[in-house]
Amino acid sequence: YSNFIDDLRVYVRGGTGGMGYPNLGGEGGRGGDVWFVARERTTLKSIREKYPQKRFVAGTGANSSVKALKGEKGKDCEVHVPLGISVLDDDGKQIGELNAAGERFLAARGGLGGSLATNFLPCKGQRRTVHLDLKLIADIGLVGFPNAGKSSLLSKISHAKPEIANYAFTTIQPELGKIMYPDYKQISVADLPGLIEGAHANKGMGHKFLKHVERTKQLLLVVDISGFQLSIKTQFRTAFETILLLTKELELYKEELLTKPALLAINKMDLPCAKDNLDELMTQLENPQDFLHLLEEEIIPANTLEFREVIPISTYTGEGIEELKTCLRKSIDEQAEQVNEEYRKKKLLLLQTSK
């Protein structure tokens, strides 16, 4: 994954409470808390560089004294984390989530100060090791096998400048780009590391890729019209087989991914025979059941993806790029309208039941 980090293990400890004052019944201050705070333009890499020990400890509460019977609370420790963070305990159980700027999560609570209840002795703060697991948040996630042209497409539709190569090269770190529209609307697009067969079983970058798909609102499958072959040792796959394989990998990793709205971009339409291949593919996509008996059983998904739009494009000549941008915008706007409608219905239902 080179310089990109999407998982970081850190140690957090709440501050110890302050000593009580037995003679006067004074109470020590509570220990400080450790908070994770979501902030834009923050990365897990920057956290690791700034805090190489990966230890976050809050301040100790002040002792009770004659001048201040109630000791002051210890200083809180705030750790700025990126948006899209899941907080997991050491057993892998999710204990928190931070998706919007300003959201806070209490990672370790400070200990109580010494008081009559504790025989005036302070309590230690909560301590634990947690995982910060990043899943990129984007409107559109580009899904495709290596060399399908995802990075080229991202560079065409946005200002992102991902690495591009003309061999079976796969993106090794996620790239985020933004499509800018004339009315200032922006749509974020994530080019995620290329899948390979067996990704659901963590082959290649398997789970590192697939977990980022979870946080995208919609999927854009990018497929090479001439088919795909990773190496001479692997089997050649037609465009239709590629679509089925991509669907199968998503399904085996997490079935809910197939409920996301999906679009299909058929790339490399500038190649010879592309038009004939496209006609054949469209026939197969219209009635997939008629062709499944010709394929091996292991590549056939239980459910097929329903594509909102199928757009032939060429990142080399620019063909279909503007149409694709328009389709993405339309699809995202329709989804937003649907979410708003559901929200309005819920509100109305709550009002009716409260009356």
Side-chain angles (χ1 to χ4, degrees):
Y1 243 148
S2 68
N3 293 324
F4 183 78
I5 298 171
D6 56 10
D7 181 72
L8 194 65
R9 190 167 177 262
V10 298
Y11 172 80
V12 289
R13 193 180 85 209
T16 306
M19 290 288 290
Y21 202 114
N23 296 349
L24 299 172
E27 196 175 306
R30 249 194 65 203
D33 305 318
V34 180
W35 292 88
F36 294 143
V37 184
R39 199 185 215 179
E40 288 175 349
R41 297 186 185 87
T42 304
T43 64
L44 291 181
K45 187 185 176 196
S46 65
I47 296 172
R48 193 179 68 176
E49 285 171 352
K50 195 173 178 183
Y51 308 99
Q53 300 293 318
K54 294 179 287 185
R55 287 171 61 87
F56 300 98
V57 181
T60 305
N63 295 335
S64 172
S65 64
V66 176
K67 290 181 181 177
L69 288 178
K70 172 77 174 166
E72 278 191 23
K73 183 177 184 285
K75 191 178 178 184
D76 286 351
C77 171
E78 285 197 354
V79 187
H80 294 134
V81 299
L83 277 57
I85 283 286
S86 297
V87 185
L88 313 174
D89 64 15
D90 243 358
D91 299 327
K93 184 186 168 197
Q94 186 171 313
I95 52 176
E97 205 170 45
L98 298 157
N99 291 325
E103 282 187 359
R104 299 165 67 85
F105 172 75
L106 181 60
R109 193 180 292 279
L112 293 172
S115 63
L116 185 62
T118 63
N119 204 20
F120 298 99
L121 295 171
C123 299
K124 288 183 176 179
Q126 185 182 11
R127 62 182 72 195
R128 59 182 169 185
T129 303
V130 295
H131 289 264
L132 300 177
D133 188 42
L134 175 68
K135 293 175 186 171
L136 288 179
I137 299 174
D139 296 316
I140 306 285
L142 301 183
V143 179
F145 284 136
N147 212 31
K150 300 190 309 301
S151 299
S152 302
L153 178 59
L154 186 69
S155 67
K156 282 277 185 190
I157 60 176
S158 75
H159 298 298
K161 290 184 172 49
E163 266 189 80
I164 296 163
N166 61 356
Y167 50 90
F169 167 97
T170 185
T171 301
I172 54 170
Q173 65 181 48
E175 288 276 355
L176 269 175
K178 276 197 166 72
I179 307 176
M180 312 286 283
Y181 291 90
D183 62 351
Y184 302 107
K185 165 87 175 177
Q186 295 181 19
I187 289 178
S188 56
V189 183
D191 171 24
L192 305 164
L195 276 171
I196 62 167
E197 284 184 53
H200 70 275
N202 215 10
K203 279 188 185 172
M205 291 190 171
H207 293 174
K208 275 186 178 289
F209 162 83
L210 288 161
K211 73 172 187 178
H212 291 299
V213 182
E214 292 179 55
R215 290 278 177 92
T216 56
K217 290 180 187 170
Q218 300 194 6
L219 307 178
L220 175 60
L221 269 67
V222 185
V223 171
D224 185 334
I225 188 60
S226 56
F228 169 71
Q229 187 172 19
L230 185 65
S231 72
I232 52 169
K233 293 178 183 175
T234 59
Q235 198 172 335
F236 172 80
R237 300 294 187 187
T238 64
F240 180 58
E241 288 175 322
T242 302
I243 293 164
L244 293 178
L245 271 167
L246 289 170
T247 308
K248 181 86 171 175
E249 291 301 334
L250 294 172
E251 180 182 75
L252 288 171
Y253 176 71
K254 199 168 269 189
E255 226 172 301
E256 301 93 87
L257 294 179
L258 298 189
T259 61
K260 288 180 185 286
L263 296 92
L264 175 63
I266 311 291
N267 193 18
K268 306 193 182 177
M269 287 304 295
D270 52 284
L271 294 177
C273 304
K275 184 75 178 71
D276 294 340
N277 289 343
L278 180 65
D279 293 340
E280 187 186 345
L281 176 62
M282 294 307 285
T283 308
Q284 291 167 325
L285 288 174
E286 278 166 25
N287 300 295
Q289 301 304 324
D290 297 349
F291 300 92
L292 296 183
H293 68 279
L294 303 169
L295 309 170
E296 310 104 283
E297 205 173 309
E298 61 267 19
I299 75 166
I300 301 170
N303 302 291
T304 50
L305 269 173
E306 293 288 325
F307 297 110
R308 289 188 169 199
E309 299 277 356
V310 178
I311 311 104
I313 63 165
S314 167
T315 54
Y316 182 69
T317 63
E319 176 196 337
I321 297 296
E322 287 306 314
E323 187 194 342
L324 176 62
K325 286 163 74 170
T326 306
C327 290
L328 291 174
R329 168 75 184 264
K330 184 184 166 204
S331 189
I332 287 288
D333 286 349
E334 281 174 1
Q335 188 183 13
E337 185 53 46
Q338 198 178 336
V339 170
N340 289 340
E341 188 58 38
E342 284 169 11
Y343 177 75
R344 282 195 291 267
K345 281 179 182 172
K346 273 185 189 173
K347 279 281 186 189
L348 193 63
L349 192 66
L350 279 170
L351 281 168
Q352 287 167 348
T353 49
S354 62
K355 281 177 185 176

